[in-house]
Amino acid sequence: TSACASACAAAASARARVPPAGGRGASGSPTCSSRRTMASVGPANLGSRGRGPHHVAFVSADGGALDEPSSTSAGEPSTASSSTAARSSPASAASALASIPAMPPSQLDEKYLMGSRAEREQWFPVAFAADLGEGTMIPFDLFNVPWVAFRDEHGRAGCVKDECAHRACPISLGKLVDGKVQCPYHGWEYTTGGECVKMPSIKKLLPDVFVDAAPVVERDGLIRVWTGKWSADAETQRAAMRKLDERALAAPEGFTTMAEVTVELPMEADEAMERLIAAAGRAEPTEKVPFTRIDTEISDDVFPKMIAGALRSLRAAEPRETRFLPSRVLESRVALEGGPGDWNIHQMHAVLPARPGRCRVLFRMSTDFVLLPGVARSIGGRVWSALAEMVLHEQLEAARAGGGHAGQAAESYREWMREVSPN
């Protein structure tokens, strides 16, 4: 137990963000959820079904407590479609909404969060769906809050705050048990709705104990998380789903994804976004940007990098289109000139504010010219990942031309930032 406690303390220290104040945890919530040490809550404090002043119950649209959480679909998870029509159809939105479990109102303290409420009311791509396999947990920070994504027993993706309700231990240090995340400290287990359903350290399970959870939709090969306020009100939920449907992020028809890379950068998300857009261009290379590699396909092997370098030198890259989307996404098309045929690359960058001074970047690179792309990626996956990393370094650091389409994207981004800025 002492070793586990030491590991939890070290992990919590490593992920420290805004200094705690008033007995609150790193991201603003009281350190023991709902939010205090549940073992100290005696029977005298518990009301009907165990609800007391330190428990969270599901809340209906009119503010009344519900006896049971609303049921969710038990079917298999829907697969992401590459068809724009399928992504934007009402049936698709309804299906996605039905897959989101009931969850209590958020208890995150606004003053500890990064960004404004308007900025956070989006569906942010936080991970590639292919990286979230069965039995896998993906911890990440977003707007100064630690989260962990995982799949339930039906394969549906979910996301809960990465702090156990008992002692605020990072849940991601534990493991998955039958589609529930298990804290490594005392074995408390949580569903994708944030409900604690197992407490081995307590003689009798205390009902209605939750950690914060965030709505998740898997679409276009991405795990997308809603970080705004989530209400039980049906119209509020439908409005949120409409924001998702307006922003399809799959590669266009005729393109095949060859590499998906996730990195963390030691810079603010705004700086990373400005560097990627480079509206005014860069006459000289900037300082090197060190990556913290999250994607496991990226390798330090020299051979794949040599091949990637040779591929990169075959043709000159000429940017053609760049578009900014409010989910902090840049979509762009780059023409590869200097040879026969019409070769193009489609790029998607998602630039996410992680915590002060750090951001996470998801980079997807798709092509329209590779013969037998499935075979090419299967045989040379590390080469394509190395090429994607090389391209990302160039976009952040190398000298480049600006203006035109980049200027339009930059103006869209800055206009959006002015709209969502609290000042």
Side-chain angles (χ1 to χ4, degrees):
T1 302
S2 59
C4 184
S6 299
C8 293
S13 176
R15 299 183 67 167
R17 31 195 71 75
V18 179
R24 294 184 175 268
S27 55
S29 59
T31 52
C32 293
S33 184
S34 284
R35 271 308 191 277
R36 58 182 287 191
T37 306
M38 302 315 303
S40 67
V41 181
N45 292 330
L46 303 179
S48 174
R49 296 188 68 247
R51 293 191 187 97
H54 308 297
H55 286 71
V56 179
F58 285 94
V59 176
S60 65
D62 61 1
L66 300 176
D67 283 340
E68 298 292 342
S70 61
S71 61
T72 58
S73 171
E76 292 300 313
S78 58
T79 45
S81 169
S82 59
S83 165
T84 303
R87 288 196 306 272
S88 60
S89 68
S92 175
S95 174
L97 184 58
S99 71
I100 298 174
M103 54 189 65
S106 171
Q107 295 194 43
L108 297 175
D109 194 325
E110 289 273 344
K111 68 182 179 182
Y112 289 89
L113 304 181
M114 293 170 60
S116 67
R117 180 175 297 185
E119 182 181 355
R120 296 191 299 270
E121 288 184 341
Q122 297 290 339
W123 293 92
F124 294 98
V126 300
F128 292 109
D131 293 336
L132 191 64
E134 183 179 351
T136 301
M137 290 185 284
I138 298 181
F140 64 94
D141 295 281
L142 187 58
F143 292 110
N144 203 36
V145 179
W147 299 97
V148 58
F150 61 100
R151 295 188 183 276
D152 67 12
E153 66 273 24
H154 302 294
R156 291 187 292 255
C159 178
V160 300
K161 188 180 178 186
D162 196 9
E163 287 183 3
C164 180
H166 188 200
R167 297 291 187 185
C169 177
I171 302 172
S172 58
L173 294 178
K175 60 183 179 181
L176 280 175
V177 179
D178 298 328
K180 302 170 186 66
V181 283
Q182 183 187 85
C183 177
Y185 202 175
H186 292 102
W188 289 27
E189 295 180 9
Y190 300 90
T191 67
T192 54
E195 182 180 10
C196 185
V197 293
K198 188 174 182 179
M199 301 174 182
S201 60
I202 296 178
K203 291 182 179 179
K204 184 178 180 181
L205 177 70
L206 298 176
D208 303 318
V209 177
F210 296 85
V211 293
D212 281 297
V216 173
V217 169
E218 183 174 343
R219 186 166 300 184
D220 304 335
L222 294 161
I223 305 298
R224 303 186 68 176
V225 172
W226 176 262
T227 57
K229 290 290 185 182
W230 187 255
S231 168
D233 176 66
E235 180 52 41
T236 301
Q237 294 182 0
R238 284 193 292 267
M241 299 307 296
R242 284 194 291 270
K243 286 194 173 184
L244 172 71
D245 290 337
E246 291 169 359
R247 298 171 176 86
L249 300 180
E253 185 177 355
F255 286 78
T256 303
T257 297
M258 300 304 297
E260 293 178 334
V261 173
T262 305
V263 300
E264 283 199 357
L265 309 179
M267 63 174 60
E268 299 289 349
D270 292 341
E271 180 184 355
M273 184 70 78
E274 291 284 358
R275 284 193 182 209
L276 290 170
I277 297 175
R282 284 194 295 267
E284 300 291 338
T286 66
E287 69 278 5
K288 296 293 183 181
V289 178
F291 287 172
T292 299
R293 298 171 177 179
I294 307 299
D295 182 87
T296 55
E297 278 193 8
I298 297 181
S299 170
D300 287 324
D301 293 345
V302 175
F303 186 63
K305 292 187 176 183
M306 290 176 60
I307 300 178
L311 289 173
R312 176 66 187 85
S313 63
L314 288 176
R315 296 195 177 196
E318 187 65 34
R320 292 291 188 231
E321 301 171 3
T322 306
R323 181 171 62 130
F324 169 75
L325 300 174
S327 49
R328 285 193 161 271
V329 166
L330 278 180
E331 282 192 307
S332 59
R333 183 176 68 86
V334 178
L336 300 181
E337 300 185 340
D342 182 20
W343 289 14
N344 297 275
I345 291 178
H346 177 267
Q347 302 177 127
M348 186 219 69
H349 300 80
V351 184
L352 309 174
R355 54 189 186 274
R358 296 196 68 85
C359 67
R360 172 172 288 214
V361 177
L362 278 66
F363 177 43
R364 172 188 282 164
M365 185 174 69
S366 307
T367 68
D368 67 353
F369 56 83
V370 176
L371 296 176
L372 302 176
V375 176
R377 182 170 180 178
S378 176
I379 296 175
R382 289 188 174 183
V383 172
W384 288 104
S385 292
L387 179 59
E389 183 190 17
M390 189 178 300
V391 169
L392 187 55
H393 267 297
E394 288 182 5
Q395 293 168 340
L396 290 166
E397 302 165 355
R400 56 193 293 191
H405 57 87
Q408 296 172 9
E411 182 53 37
S412 296
Y413 169 62
R414 291 164 188 163
E415 181 180 354
W416 176 74
M417 287 297 293
R418 287 192 292 269
E419 290 176 355
V420 300
S421 175
N423 299 322

